[in-house]
Amino acid sequence: MVETRHAAPILVASNRGPVSYRLGEDGTLSSRRGGGGLVSGLSAIGPEAGAVWVCAALSEADREAVRRGVGEDGSRMIAVDPPVFEAAYNGIANSVLWFVHHLLYQTPLEPVFDEDFRGQWASFQAYNAAFADALAQEAAEGAAVLVQDYHLSLVPALLRERRPDLRIGHFTHTPWAPPDYFRLLPDDVAEELLAGILGADRAAFLTRRWADAFAACCVAVLGATLSADGLEVTWRGRTTRLGVHGLGADGDFLRERAHRPDVDARIEALRAEAGPDRRLIVRVDRTELSKNIVRGLLAYRQLLNEHPRWREQVVHVAFAYPSRQDLPLYRAYTAEVSRLAGEINAEYGTDSWTPVLLKVDDDFPRSLAAYRLADVALVNPIRDGMNLVAKEVPVVSDNGVALVLSREAGAHEELGTDAITVNPYDIRATAAALHTALTLPAADRTARTKRLADASTALPPSRWFLDQLRALGG
């Protein structure tokens, strides 16, 4: 048994934590607390519960805080050597696991699992082991541990070896690949990833589809067996229960935040830039390969070509915030988004009308302004674990919004009935869906928006987190 440090009864583990640090020119450290669903969820427990969040030091300032022993109550940062972290995070998590689960590989050329990959995989193992060590030290006897996401897929099994007394849950925020695609991975790596998650008492996912895909991989790769309802996986004498928790939007926060003065100011600016009385097709995404921004722009161009009535009448507001720009493929994708937007503007634009308003700097109040003004929301990912944008837009819409939604987004499981569904690869069908959305009768759009908002807020972050804790027996 590992000696404990703080004996926390509840622990959360994730790559990114609730706090980040900044190192001043004079050497002083200052902290900043982040936001998001996990932060909201942990806040729901209350400080009296003695919960501890274990996370990675992501920056040099974070690592300096660890070196100085600086920390926040309820948080423990671990400093993995930068080369090991880089190989684990960008080499494996972002460039292999993300690509597998989102089906992003161009298989004639990639992946190539060579000796470089093996070195990166060793770093991924070391990174996960560092988390398992920290959790084992922090946890009280019989504590509940909620491990978050694909970065930490190996942690449950590693932690169980160290602390068999713990109740361990793992939550995957991404899709899960079907068996044939998952088996692109080397056999030993595929087995280790599945066995890692099966070290948990409970493995949870955003939709039943992703849970079923995980279970199918366990059967195909490990030879595991399933219960009759498909929600228990048994392997080597242990049974892991599967769960589904469809993370929803934080409706109370969004509605309040969307009506602050800074958002109102951005509404005025956005309306002035788009032009009075023009309809707005809005998308808000990171320039992540899976978000499918390029095909969205191609569909918008086809809409303008096939339906000239929308020229001068519609503006595509595309907020595409740069993501993972330390990876060359992502830099190239971001450049292609900008190039194509410019091409559409050159082809169709006039002195008084810019067809695409592309913004590449992250501005949350401006995103909320676009949500409120959107006549149509375009959410067309190739594949997405959930996609909270699809859930957020209806919640804050001022006058009702038509949601054009990819059937490959996890959110489609809950919102598909009232969305206009598209195949994310089909440009013609997506253009037709945009036309349908623009011509949706006002009463129908209003009714759909109300139902979408209700479905989107059914499981807010605090309840989402507490539901997992209760299901684990915490």
Side-chain angles (χ1 to χ4, degrees):
M1 193 74 76
V2 176
E3 182 180 351
T4 62
R5 289 172 24 134
H6 296 143
I10 300 170
L11 298 99
V12 175
S14 62
N15 179 68
R16 184 178 298 277
V19 176
S20 60
Y21 290 90
R22 181 178 177 276
L23 190 60
E25 292 183 4
D26 61 354
T28 59
L29 282 167
S30 57
S31 64
R32 177 178 179 274
R33 192 162 183 86
L38 279 179
V39 175
S40 298
L42 194 58
S43 299
I45 300 172
E48 67 280 358
V52 169
W53 191 325
V54 176
C55 58
L58 302 182
S59 66
E60 183 54 38
D62 289 350
R63 288 187 284 273
E64 181 61 23
V66 175
R67 282 191 288 269
R68 296 184 190 180
V70 174
E72 304 287 321
D73 287 343
S75 177
R76 178 179 172 188
M77 228 175 232
I78 55 176
V80 179
D81 287 344
V84 173
F85 178 83
E86 169 67 20
Y89 183 70
N90 277 330
I92 297 296
N94 288 345
S95 297
V96 176
L97 302 184
W98 183 272
F99 273 58
V100 167
H101 289 315
H102 290 83
L103 316 185
L104 292 176
Y105 279 123
Q106 298 183 60
T107 52
L109 297 174
E110 56 186 12
V112 177
F113 296 126
D114 54 13
E115 290 308 303
D116 286 344
F117 165 79
R118 288 296 173 175
Q120 292 171 338
W121 181 249
S123 292
F124 187 77
Q125 292 169 316
Y127 161 82
N128 275 254
F131 269 86
D133 288 340
L135 289 165
Q137 291 170 358
E138 296 287 343
E141 182 75 17
V145 183
L146 292 174
V147 181
Q148 301 297 314
D149 226 355
Y150 63 103
H151 312 91
L152 304 179
S153 297
L154 307 183
V155 167
L158 294 171
L159 182 56
R160 185 158 303 284
E161 292 173 0
R162 291 156 172 78
R163 293 288 305 275
D165 60 296
L166 300 179
R167 291 164 294 139
I168 304 169
H170 186 278
F171 194 95
T172 299
H173 293 257
T174 64
W176 194 275
D180 286 350
Y181 207 89
F182 187 74
R183 297 188 86 166
L184 289 175
L185 292 166
D187 291 350
D188 61 313
V189 170
E191 291 168 8
E192 191 172 351
L193 286 165
L194 294 171
I197 292 178
L198 290 180
D201 298 288
R202 193 168 185 275
F205 301 84
L206 287 164
T207 72
R208 180 63 190 258
R209 179 183 179 185
W210 312 140
D212 287 346
F214 172 79
C217 286
C218 291
V219 171
V221 175
L222 299 177
T225 59
L226 302 183
S227 60
D229 63 1
L231 289 175
E232 291 186 346
V233 179
T234 301
W235 182 63
R236 292 186 175 176
R238 282 199 76 258
T239 296
T240 299
R241 304 188 313 277
L242 305 185
V244 175
H245 302 276
L247 176 63
D250 188 340
D252 292 340
F253 164 75
L254 287 169
R255 292 184 185 101
E256 185 278 325
R257 183 65 185 88
H259 288 86
R260 292 184 194 173
D262 59 344
V263 176
D264 291 335
R266 284 163 175 79
I267 284 178
E268 290 185 19
L270 186 57
R271 180 56 75 192
E273 191 172 3
D277 302 322
R278 287 193 171 121
R279 311 289 295 283
L280 301 186
I281 298 173
V282 168
R283 81 171 305 135
V284 176
D285 280 310
R286 293 174 294 113
T287 53
E288 212 299 310
L289 307 182
S290 65
K291 298 301 183 182
N292 209 23
I293 301 169
V294 167
R295 289 191 187 89
L297 288 166
L298 292 173
Y300 177 63
R301 181 166 69 182
Q302 182 140 340
L303 172 75
L304 298 178
N305 182 53
E306 290 186 353
H307 300 279
R309 64 179 279 194
W310 295 120
R311 298 177 192 176
E312 302 260 10
Q313 303 303 309
V314 173
V315 173
H316 184 15
V317 176
F319 294 166
Y321 305 136
S323 173
R324 299 176 183 171
Q325 295 301 289
D326 46 348
L327 299 176
L329 188 57
Y330 280 77
R331 291 197 298 272
Y333 186 78
T334 302
E336 176 59 15
V337 169
S338 296
R339 187 202 65 77
L340 183 54
E343 189 177 276
I344 294 169
N345 286 337
E347 182 177 358
Y348 292 101
T350 66
D351 290 343
S352 60
W353 173 55
T354 303
V356 180
L357 292 182
L358 176 66
K359 307 291 185 183
V360 295
D361 57 315
D362 194 350
D363 185 330
F364 183 56
R366 188 176 61 198
S367 296
L368 291 174
Y371 287 179
R372 285 179 55 187
L373 290 176
D375 296 286
V376 177
L378 176 58
V379 182
N380 67 320
I382 292 169
R383 195 168 167 87
D384 216 333
M386 178 53 70
N387 195 295
L388 282 179
V389 170
K391 292 186 169 185
E392 291 168 352
V393 179
V395 172
V396 300
S397 171
D398 280 353
N399 299 304
V401 63
L403 175 62
V404 176
L405 181 62
S406 166
R407 67 191 185 196
E408 298 303 313
H412 190 269
E413 191 166 294
E414 300 163 74
L415 307 183
T417 301
D418 288 298
I420 300 167
T421 300
V422 292
N423 171 349
Y425 299 95
D426 191 333
I427 303 302
R428 177 184 290 180
T430 303
L434 291 173
H435 177 70
T436 298
L438 288 166
T439 55
L440 205 64
D444 188 7
R445 188 172 69 172
T446 299
R448 288 182 187 228
T449 302
K450 173 64 167 63
R451 292 192 296 268
L452 287 168
D454 289 345
S456 296
T457 54
L459 193 64
S462 57
R463 233 192 76 204
W464 169 83
F465 185 90
L466 290 174
D467 280 3
Q468 292 176 65
L469 192 59
R470 291 188 193 102
L472 191 60

